[in-house]
Amino acid sequence: MTAGLNKSIEDGIRSADVYGRAIRVYRYLRDNGPSHRDKIIHWCGFPSPKDQPVIAYVEFYNEVMRLDKILRRHGMLIEGGVSTGEVYRLVGW
């Protein structure tokens, strides 16, 4: 991925990123490839699913949906969910 496109994507994410987690999810998936939901939640600063399962998963899914919407403008998307065993990955780059 070119540096210019990467900067453009990150600028778009930052403009809609309320808690600073969407940019971390994007970078995590970009740098680490396909990853399980709980690992992403842990490394990207979401509440612990062990302490607050509903809040952690709702906040994670909201960020993923918001991030996916931004990435689609750049020809990318996030693939994952129940059908993939809760493994998420970036597609299209």
Side-chain angles (χ1 to χ4, degrees), residues 52-66:
Q52 303 174 23
V54 174
I55 293 172
Y57 294 130
V58 167
E59 287 185 9
F60 173 74
Y61 288 121
N62 284 341
E63 289 298 327
V64 167
M65 288 187 306
R66 186 177 297 124

Side-chain angles (χ1 to χ4, degrees), residues 3-74:
L5 177 59
N6 196 30
K7 182 176 179 350
S8 174
I9 292 170
E10 289 193 10
D11 288 344
I13 295 168
R14 277 193 198 95
S15 68
D17 197 0
V18 179
Y19 297 108
R21 293 184 191 132
I23 193 75
R24 285 181 261 168
V25 171
Y26 167 70
R27 287 179 178 165
Y28 186 87
L29 290 173
R30 182 192 66 196
D31 296 342
N32 296 301
S35 299
H36 190 271
R37 173 197 61 202
D38 292 340
K39 187 178 276 190
I40 299 168
I41 286 173
H42 172 75
W43 287 107
C44 294
F46 290 93
S48 170
K50 294 176 183 166
D51 299 335
Q52 303 174 23
V54 174
I55 293 172
Y57 294 130
V58 167
E59 287 185 9
F60 173 74
Y61 288 121
N62 284 341
E63 289 298 327
V64 167
M65 288 187 306
R66 186 177 297 124
L67 180 57
D68 188 56
K69 185 176 180 180
I70 294 166
L71 292 174
R72 285 178 186 266
R73 293 183 210 143
H74 297 278

